[in-house]
Amino acid sequence: MEAIYTAIAHATGGGRDGRVRTEDDRLDLETRPPKEMGGSGEGTNPEQLFAAGYSACFLSALHGAGRQLKLDTKDAAVSASVSIGSLDAGGFGLAVELDVYVPNVSKDEAEKLAEAAHAICPYSNATRGNVEVTLTVVE
């Protein structure tokens, strides 16, 4: 792969209980474990950051697929739910649910768009085979 852009972020403190900052200072956040994991829940957490990145990236891929398929993706939206849990073999894993909303096309067309976006989205390509990703077209 020839890199077009590289984002650089730094984590300090206790990781999930610390701070993350991008090298350009456009993102600078306190991180805290969610209450469900014994934390205060008063900062953001890696799963929220992953969900934000995946939803934005997938929406961009959806618009790209719409241009290729000549389908209207105006007013489309994507919600990503990222879950963390224990793996049977030990350690932790992630699961992702993507809810895709494309109001200006039929449900069949929206499903084709979602599948096409899933094939080109960098987050989808990075997680494929490693993270369970469920796509749902919502009306």
Side-chain angles (χ1 to χ4, degrees):
M1 178 189 91
E2 185 176 331
I4 299 168
Y5 168 75
T6 301
I8 301 171
H10 307 281
T12 56
R16 285 185 172 274
D17 197 3
R19 178 169 224 87
V20 293
R21 178 187 66 77
T22 56
E23 196 159 270
D24 63 6
D25 288 321
R26 291 188 180 266
L27 182 77
D28 188 352
L29 301 168
E30 289 186 15
T31 54
R32 299 290 180 268
K35 289 181 181 182
E36 296 83 353
M37 294 177 69
S40 69
E42 293 179 8
T44 192
N45 61 65
E47 292 71 37
Q48 289 173 326
L49 295 169
F50 191 79
Y54 203 159
S55 63
C57 190
F58 196 89
L59 181 58
S60 183
L62 190 77
H63 288 308
R67 285 188 297 277
Q68 288 176 353
L69 297 172
K70 297 184 179 13
L71 293 170
D72 184 2
T73 58
K74 184 177 181 247
D75 301 322
V78 175
S79 295
S81 301
V82 175
S83 300
I84 185 171
S86 299
L87 297 172
D88 291 339
F92 294 91
L94 298 175
V96 176
E97 294 180 26
L98 296 173
D99 290 335
V100 181
Y101 174 69
V102 191
N104 301 324
V105 300
S106 71
K107 184 164 185 172
D108 285 345
E109 290 171 324
E111 288 172 354
K112 287 178 188 169
L113 278 167
E115 287 298 329
H118 195 42
I120 60 175
C121 175
Y123 275 67
S124 293
N125 288 327
T127 59
R128 190 168 288 110
N130 299 307
V131 174
E132 181 182 333
V133 177
T134 303
L135 293 176
T136 304
V137 170
V138 296
E139 297 181 81

